[in-house]
Amino acid sequence: MIRPFDTQMMARAIQLARRGCYSTRPNPTVGCVLVRDGQVIGEGYTQPAGQNHAEIEALQACANPRGATAYVTLEPCSHEGKTGPCAEALIEAGIAGCFIAMRDPNPAVAGEGIAKLTRAGVDVIEGLLQAEAETLNPGFYQRMRNGRSRLRVKLAASLDGRTAMASGESQWITGPAARLDVQKLRAASGAIVTGIDTVLVDNPEMTVREESLAVPDQPLRVILDSQLRTPADARILQAPGQVLIVHTDATADTTALAAAGAELLVVPAANKRVDLHAVVAELAARQINEILVECGPRLAGAFVQQRLVDELVVYMAPTLLGSDARPLLELPIAAIGAQQRLDVIDVRKVGEDYRWTLRPLLRDFAQ
């Protein structure tokens, strides 16, 4: 048996895994540490899609892994994808034992990696620091478990809950530190969703511009535009990366937008607007683990009202915009009993602003 285990080694593997949080999509980020006689002899974390997984990185960093114990944050894969199965690589390397933080919910793995290791005589123990490992890839785990991407809505507001002036002017409510933090949210996302109103009013690029985050490619940018009002010269179409415009008019002329590089997708209409459930389903089918929604109060309210939001990330600035300014959300609630309660996950100061991370308590929301 490979006991006693060393939680510090698994903590190191989790620390390594976090290095890949902006670069491995759609794959999960994983960390691996190889240990012999209490000493680290190799370590690694998952590289961008199509490149080495964490286990291979650790094995290649080790002169002689035979007889070592592996600490891995996620069950080693057992199937052939863009890379070979990591479980077999560990077996061929002569690993004697393997601590695994959590089982892979991917149906293509789902315990088969552990079974392969066990059949080969590798001593396997799972569940070490599982709660910590669960925080590494929440979108991937959710998509594997229930087929739906994790969706977060990002909002920036004044202390009195206003997001823009009545004219639509909104730059800048929050400070530089909060804006940098938003860059990290974008970098961790597979898709950034916005509405046509935001495109027309703000003309944003919706890209990851912070070079230190080292994203291998830009997240997919998605414009919800039922009537195809997106200008062909919009900045979002000029910036690097792919843009998907979702609309409802199958007969519309899309020539100019296609020539500008956009992909056009027709989905069903819901109340004369893009069906949000269809959009979320489409993005999950495209292997998007994390969806970040950056939009105006109407679309943000629609996502909340249709129970599609897993988290709200609200940056609140210590300033007042007044009663004529636009609200945080357009969310028609007529009675106090129908209020939307939120679970506070985290509150922290970001520069001069505060970031609230909240989770809707859907059982309290009466549509």
Side-chain angles (χ1 to χ4, degrees):
M1 293 292 288
I2 56 175
R3 301 178 187 277
F5 57 79
D6 188 339
T7 56
Q8 289 187 338
M9 296 301 178
M10 186 62 81
R12 172 59 179 166
I14 290 171
Q15 184 181 50
L16 287 167
R18 295 195 189 283
R19 294 183 183 179
C21 65
Y22 303 135
S23 59
T24 65
R25 60 177 185 267
N27 294 334
T29 181
V30 179
C32 177
V33 175
L34 300 178
V35 179
R36 183 190 291 115
D37 299 326
Q39 300 297 314
V40 174
I41 60 173
E43 61 182 28
Y45 61 94
T46 304
Q47 300 302 296
Q51 299 181 38
N52 287 342
H53 290 187
E55 297 91 332
I56 307 304
E57 286 286 297
L59 289 171
Q60 291 183 354
C62 176
N64 178 19
R66 186 161 299 278
T69 296
Y71 288 77
V72 189
T73 58
L74 186 67
E75 176 184 4
C77 60
S78 57
H79 61 294
E80 190 84 29
K82 292 182 179 179
T83 61
C86 292
E88 291 185 8
L90 291 173
I91 292 167
E92 292 173 3
I95 295 298
C98 187
F99 286 105
I100 297 169
M102 61 178 290
R103 189 168 294 214
D104 192 339
N106 184 348
V109 185
E112 183 54 31
I114 292 173
K116 276 191 175 183
L117 291 168
T118 302
R119 287 195 297 267
V122 178
D123 192 9
V124 178
I125 296 175
E126 59 177 302
L128 180 61
L129 299 190
Q130 179 170 340
E132 290 85 346
E134 284 273 2
T135 67
L136 291 172
N137 303 285
F140 174 81
Y141 302 148
Q142 177 167 298
R143 184 169 65 84
M144 289 298 132
R145 286 165 177 158
N146 64 27
R148 192 172 73 80
S149 314
R150 187 171 76 131
L151 188 145
R152 293 188 286 181
V153 174
K154 168 261 170 184
L155 297 164
S158 61
L159 190 61
D160 51 348
R162 304 291 171 164
T163 60
M165 304 309 294
S167 64
E169 182 185 0
S170 62
Q171 296 179 332
W172 296 98
I173 297 174
T174 54
R179 296 198 292 274
L180 175 59
D181 203 59
V182 172
Q183 289 284 297
K184 295 177 182 178
L185 287 180
R186 289 182 181 180
S189 303
I192 301 169
V193 176
T194 194
I196 182 58
D197 289 343
T198 297
V199 172
L200 294 176
V201 173
D202 295 339
N203 196 19
E205 290 186 358
M206 291 288 184
T207 55
V208 180
R209 296 182 295 277
E210 179 55 43
E211 294 182 359
S212 66
L213 299 177
V215 295
D217 49 54
Q218 290 288 337
L220 174 68
R221 299 188 303 283
V222 183
I223 305 171
L224 306 188
D225 181 8
S226 59
Q227 300 304 310
L228 280 185
R229 294 183 290 149
T230 302
D233 61 352
R235 291 178 64 203
I236 197 169
L237 295 175
Q238 313 307 315
Q242 295 179 303
V243 177
L244 174 67
I245 301 177
V246 184
H247 65 106
T248 61
D249 187 357
T251 65
D253 182 2
T254 61
T255 306
L257 290 171
E263 177 187 356
L264 284 298
L265 175 69
V266 178
V267 300
N271 297 320
K272 299 182 178 180
R273 295 176 182 166
V274 168
D275 185 328
L276 299 184
H277 288 269
V279 172
V280 172
E282 171 67 22
L283 293 179
R286 293 179 180 228
Q287 296 187 305
I288 300 296
N289 299 321
E290 299 278 352
I291 301 171
L292 179 64
V293 177
E294 296 190 55
C295 62
R298 179 186 301 174
L299 183 55
F303 272 107
V304 171
Q305 191 171 22
Q306 294 184 39
R307 303 190 179 198
L308 290 169
V309 178
D310 295 294
E311 278 188 358
L312 289 163
V313 182
V314 182
Y315 295 88
M316 187 161 285
T319 189
L320 303 172
L321 295 185
S323 58
D324 289 340
R326 296 183 180 184
L328 186 68
L329 299 166
E330 288 188 14
L331 190 63
I333 297 176
I336 193 70
Q339 65 184 282
Q340 168 69 79
R341 301 292 298 179
L342 303 168
D343 186 17
V344 178
I345 305 302
D346 181 70
V347 182
R348 66 183 61 196
K349 200 163 189 276
V350 181
E352 296 302 312
D353 307 307
Y354 285 84
R355 186 188 72 197
W356 291 68
T357 304
L358 309 116
R359 188 171 298 149
L361 296 172
L362 297 180
R363 64 181 182 274
D364 292 339
F365 185 43
Q367 294 193 66

PDB file of all heavy atoms in Angstrom, residues 334-353:
ATOM      1  N   ALA A 334     -43.296  41.717  -9.085  1.00  0.00           N
ATOM      2  CA  ALA A 334     -44.440  42.515  -8.626  1.00  0.00           C
ATOM      3  C   ALA A 334     -44.685  42.422  -7.128  1.00  0.00           C
ATOM      4  O   ALA A 334     -45.295  43.312  -6.536  1.00  0.00           O
ATOM      5  CB  ALA A 334     -45.701  42.095  -9.375  1.00  0.00           C
ATOM      6  N   ALA A 335     -44.223  41.342  -6.501  1.00  0.00           N
ATOM      7  CA  ALA A 335     -44.540  41.131  -5.087  1.00  0.00           C
ATOM      8  C   ALA A 335     -43.280  40.769  -4.315  1.00  0.00           C
ATOM      9  O   ALA A 335     -42.367  40.129  -4.851  1.00  0.00           O
ATOM     10  CB  ALA A 335     -45.581  40.027  -4.933  1.00  0.00           C
ATOM     11  N   ILE A 336     -43.218  41.146  -3.045  1.00  0.00           N
ATOM     12  CA  ILE A 336     -42.044  40.882  -2.227  1.00  0.00           C
ATOM     13  C   ILE A 336     -41.787  39.387  -2.100  1.00  0.00           C
ATOM     14  O   ILE A 336     -40.648  38.934  -1.997  1.00  0.00           O
ATOM     15  CB  ILE A 336     -42.198  41.538  -0.824  1.00  0.00           C
ATOM     16  CG1 ILE A 336     -40.846  41.535  -0.084  1.00  0.00           C
ATOM     17  CG2 ILE A 336     -43.274  40.847  -0.011  1.00  0.00           C
ATOM     18  CD1 ILE A 336     -39.834  42.477  -0.663  1.00  0.00           C
ATOM     19  N   GLY A 337     -42.849  38.611  -2.165  1.00  0.00           N
ATOM     20  CA  GLY A 337     -42.703  37.162  -2.051  1.00  0.00           C
ATOM     21  C   GLY A 337     -42.044  36.529  -3.256  1.00  0.00           C
ATOM     22  O   GLY A 337     -41.607  35.381  -3.191  1.00  0.00           O
ATOM     23  N   ALA A 338     -41.963  37.264  -4.363  1.00  0.00           N
ATOM     24  CA  ALA A 338     -41.347  36.736  -5.575  1.00  0.00           C
ATOM     25  C   ALA A 338     -39.921  37.232  -5.755  1.00  0.00           C
ATOM     26  O   ALA A 338     -39.317  37.025  -6.804  1.00  0.00           O
ATOM     27  CB  ALA A 338     -42.185  37.111  -6.789  1.00  0.00           C
ATOM     28  N   GLN A 339     -39.355  37.863  -4.742  1.00  0.00           N
ATOM     29  CA  GLN A 339     -37.995  38.395  -4.852  1.00  0.00           C
ATOM     30  C   GLN A 339     -36.990  37.289  -5.157  1.00  0.00           C
ATOM     31  O   GLN A 339     -37.190  36.132  -4.797  1.00  0.00           O
ATOM     32  CB  GLN A 339     -37.605  39.110  -3.556  1.00  0.00           C
ATOM     33  CG  GLN A 339     -37.520  38.183  -2.350  1.00  0.00           C
ATOM     34  CD  GLN A 339     -37.239  38.941  -1.068  1.00  0.00           C
ATOM     35  OE1 GLN A 339     -36.103  39.332  -0.822  1.00  0.00           O
ATOM     36  NE2 GLN A 339     -38.261  39.144  -0.256  1.00  0.00           N
ATOM     37  N   GLN A 340     -35.939  37.649  -5.819  1.00  0.00           N
ATOM     38  CA  GLN A 340     -34.867  36.706  -6.144  1.00  0.00           C
ATOM     39  C   GLN A 340     -33.794  36.762  -5.063  1.00  0.00           C
ATOM     40  O   GLN A 340     -33.049  37.736  -4.961  1.00  0.00           O
ATOM     41  CB  GLN A 340     -34.272  37.046  -7.497  1.00  0.00           C
ATOM     42  CG  GLN A 340     -32.970  36.316  -7.826  1.00  0.00           C
ATOM     43  CD  GLN A 340     -33.146  34.833  -8.050  1.00  0.00           C
ATOM     44  OE1 GLN A 340     -33.571  34.416  -9.108  1.00  0.00           O
ATOM     45  NE2 GLN A 340     -32.829  34.032  -7.048  1.00  0.00           N
ATOM     46  N   ARG A 341     -33.741  35.737  -4.255  1.00  0.00           N
ATOM     47  CA  ARG A 341     -32.720  35.661  -3.214  1.00  0.00           C
ATOM     48  C   ARG A 341     -31.418  35.141  -3.807  1.00  0.00           C
ATOM     49  O   ARG A 341     -31.401  34.344  -4.747  1.00  0.00           O
ATOM     50  CB  ARG A 341     -33.176  34.728  -2.082  1.00  0.00           C
ATOM     51  CG  ARG A 341     -34.477  35.139  -1.404  1.00  0.00           C
ATOM     52  CD  ARG A 341     -34.336  36.417  -0.617  1.00  0.00           C
ATOM     53  NE  ARG A 341     -33.369  36.306   0.465  1.00  0.00           N
ATOM     54  CZ  ARG A 341     -33.048  37.304   1.285  1.00  0.00           C
ATOM     55  NH1 ARG A 341     -33.605  38.507   1.129  1.00  0.00           N
ATOM     56  NH2 ARG A 341     -32.172  37.131   2.238  1.00  0.00           N
ATOM     57  N   LEU A 342     -30.305  35.612  -3.247  1.00  0.00           N
ATOM     58  CA  LEU A 342     -28.987  35.241  -3.733  1.00  0.00           C
ATOM     59  C   LEU A 342     -28.125  34.733  -2.584  1.00  0.00           C
ATOM     60  O   LEU A 342     -28.202  35.237  -1.457  1.00  0.00           O
ATOM     61  CB  LEU A 342     -28.298  36.449  -4.384  1.00  0.00           C
ATOM     62  CG  LEU A 342     -29.046  37.114  -5.551  1.00  0.00           C
ATOM     63  CD1 LEU A 342     -28.387  38.447  -5.888  1.00  0.00           C
ATOM     64  CD2 LEU A 342     -29.061  36.207  -6.755  1.00  0.00           C
ATOM     65  N   ASP A 343     -27.321  33.749  -2.876  1.00  0.00           N
ATOM     66  CA  ASP A 343     -26.362  33.210  -1.916  1.00  0.00           C
ATOM     67  C   ASP A 343     -25.020  33.903  -2.163  1.00  0.00           C
ATOM     68  O   ASP A 343     -24.501  33.873  -3.282  1.00  0.00           O
ATOM     69  CB  ASP A 343     -26.231  31.700  -2.110  1.00  0.00           C
ATOM     70  CG  ASP A 343     -25.350  31.055  -1.053  1.00  0.00           C
ATOM     71  OD1 ASP A 343     -25.103  31.689  -0.013  1.00  0.00           O
ATOM     72  OD2 ASP A 343     -24.914  29.908  -1.270  1.00  0.00           O
ATOM     73  N   VAL A 344     -24.482  34.547  -1.154  1.00  0.00           N
ATOM     74  CA  VAL A 344     -23.211  35.259  -1.298  1.00  0.00           C
ATOM     75  C   VAL A 344     -22.069  34.254  -1.190  1.00  0.00           C
ATOM     76  O   VAL A 344     -21.858  33.636  -0.144  1.00  0.00           O
ATOM     77  CB  VAL A 344     -23.058  36.356  -0.229  1.00  0.00           C
ATOM     78  CG1 VAL A 344     -21.701  37.050  -0.387  1.00  0.00           C
ATOM     79  CG2 VAL A 344     -24.194  37.362  -0.333  1.00  0.00           C
ATOM     80  N   ILE A 345     -21.345  34.085  -2.290  1.00  0.00           N
ATOM     81  CA  ILE A 345     -20.226  33.148  -2.327  1.00  0.00           C
ATOM     82  C   ILE A 345     -18.936  33.816  -1.871  1.00  0.00           C
ATOM     83  O   ILE A 345     -18.123  33.233  -1.167  1.00  0.00           O
ATOM     84  CB  ILE A 345     -20.041  32.589  -3.758  1.00  0.00           C
ATOM     85  CG1 ILE A 345     -21.348  31.973  -4.270  1.00  0.00           C
ATOM     86  CG2 ILE A 345     -18.912  31.574  -3.793  1.00  0.00           C
ATOM     87  CD1 ILE A 345     -21.892  30.877  -3.411  1.00  0.00           C
ATOM     88  N   ASP A 346     -18.772  35.094  -2.272  1.00  0.00           N
ATOM     89  CA  ASP A 346     -17.516  35.781  -1.963  1.00  0.00           C
ATOM     90  C   ASP A 346     -17.727  37.282  -2.106  1.00  0.00           C
ATOM     91  O   ASP A 346     -18.468  37.737  -2.986  1.00  0.00           O
ATOM     92  CB  ASP A 346     -16.415  35.312  -2.925  1.00  0.00           C
ATOM     93  CG  ASP A 346     -15.076  35.971  -2.645  1.00  0.00           C
ATOM     94  OD1 ASP A 346     -14.477  35.653  -1.611  1.00  0.00           O
ATOM     95  OD2 ASP A 346     -14.638  36.805  -3.460  1.00  0.00           O
ATOM     96  N   VAL A 347     -17.080  38.033  -1.232  1.00  0.00           N
ATOM     97  CA  VAL A 347     -17.024  39.493  -1.354  1.00  0.00           C
ATOM     98  C   VAL A 347     -15.584  39.912  -1.085  1.00  0.00           C
ATOM     99  O   VAL A 347     -15.002  39.515  -0.075  1.00  0.00           O
ATOM    100  CB  VAL A 347     -17.955  40.207  -0.348  1.00  0.00           C
ATOM    101  CG1 VAL A 347     -17.887  41.719  -0.563  1.00  0.00           C
ATOM    102  CG2 VAL A 347     -19.385  39.721  -0.466  1.00  0.00           C
ATOM    103  N   ARG A 348     -15.033  40.695  -1.997  1.00  0.00           N
ATOM    104  CA  ARG A 348     -13.658  41.154  -1.762  1.00  0.00           C
ATOM    105  C   ARG A 348     -13.431  42.509  -2.414  1.00  0.00           C
ATOM    106  O   ARG A 348     -14.109  42.878  -3.372  1.00  0.00           O
ATOM    107  CB  ARG A 348     -12.642  40.140  -2.269  1.00  0.00           C
ATOM    108  CG  ARG A 348     -12.612  39.929  -3.765  1.00  0.00           C
ATOM    109  CD  ARG A 348     -11.609  38.838  -4.120  1.00  0.00           C
ATOM    110  NE  ARG A 348     -11.959  37.576  -3.512  1.00  0.00           N
ATOM    111  CZ  ARG A 348     -11.134  36.540  -3.395  1.00  0.00           C
ATOM    112  NH1 ARG A 348      -9.889  36.650  -3.836  1.00  0.00           N
ATOM    113  NH2 ARG A 348     -11.509  35.416  -2.834  1.00  0.00           N
ATOM    114  N   LYS A 349     -12.459  43.223  -1.893  1.00  0.00           N
ATOM    115  CA  LYS A 349     -12.105  44.535  -2.430  1.00  0.00           C
ATOM    116  C   LYS A 349     -11.167  44.340  -3.624  1.00  0.00           C
ATOM    117  O   LYS A 349     -10.207  43.575  -3.558  1.00  0.00           O
ATOM    118  CB  LYS A 349     -11.426  45.380  -1.359  1.00  0.00           C
ATOM    119  CG  LYS A 349     -11.450  46.881  -1.639  1.00  0.00           C
ATOM    120  CD  LYS A 349     -11.141  47.664  -0.369  1.00  0.00           C
ATOM    121  CE  LYS A 349     -11.385  49.161  -0.596  1.00  0.00           C
ATOM    122  NZ  LYS A 349     -10.242  49.820  -1.207  1.00  0.00           N
ATOM    123  N   VAL A 350     -11.463  45.019  -4.711  1.00  0.00           N
ATOM    124  CA  VAL A 350     -10.638  44.970  -5.917  1.00  0.00           C
ATOM    125  C   VAL A 350     -10.294  46.414  -6.267  1.00  0.00           C
ATOM    126  O   VAL A 350     -11.130  47.140  -6.816  1.00  0.00           O
ATOM    127  CB  VAL A 350     -11.365  44.285  -7.082  1.00  0.00           C
ATOM    128  CG1 VAL A 350     -10.470  44.228  -8.310  1.00  0.00           C
ATOM    129  CG2 VAL A 350     -11.827  42.881  -6.695  1.00  0.00           C
ATOM    130  N   GLY A 351      -9.112  46.840  -5.914  1.00  0.00           N
ATOM    131  CA  GLY A 351      -8.771  48.250  -6.065  1.00  0.00           C
ATOM    132  C   GLY A 351      -9.661  49.090  -5.164  1.00  0.00           C
ATOM    133  O   GLY A 351      -9.779  48.833  -3.962  1.00  0.00           O
ATOM    134  N   GLU A 352     -10.325  50.074  -5.744  1.00  0.00           N
ATOM    135  CA  GLU A 352     -11.244  50.911  -4.982  1.00  0.00           C
ATOM    136  C   GLU A 352     -12.675  50.384  -5.007  1.00  0.00           C
ATOM    137  O   GLU A 352     -13.563  50.960  -4.378  1.00  0.00           O
ATOM    138  CB  GLU A 352     -11.231  52.340  -5.555  1.00  0.00           C
ATOM    139  CG  GLU A 352      -9.884  53.040  -5.407  1.00  0.00           C
ATOM    140  CD  GLU A 352      -9.452  53.132  -3.947  1.00  0.00           C
ATOM    141  OE1 GLU A 352     -10.279  53.531  -3.103  1.00  0.00           O
ATOM    142  OE2 GLU A 352      -8.285  52.788  -3.657  1.00  0.00           O
ATOM    143  N   ASP A 353     -12.901  49.278  -5.709  1.00  0.00           N
ATOM    144  CA  ASP A 353     -14.246  48.725  -5.869  1.00  0.00           C
ATOM    145  C   ASP A 353     -14.389  47.436  -5.077  1.00  0.00           C
ATOM    146  O   ASP A 353     -13.427  46.921  -4.505  1.00  0.00           O
ATOM    147  CB  ASP A 353     -14.523  48.466  -7.358  1.00  0.00           C
ATOM    148  CG  ASP A 353     -14.266  49.699  -8.216  1.00  0.00           C
ATOM    149  OD1 ASP A 353     -14.823  50.760  -7.882  1.00  0.00           O
ATOM    150  OD2 ASP A 353     -13.498  49.596  -9.196  1.00  0.00           O
TER     151      ASP A 353
END
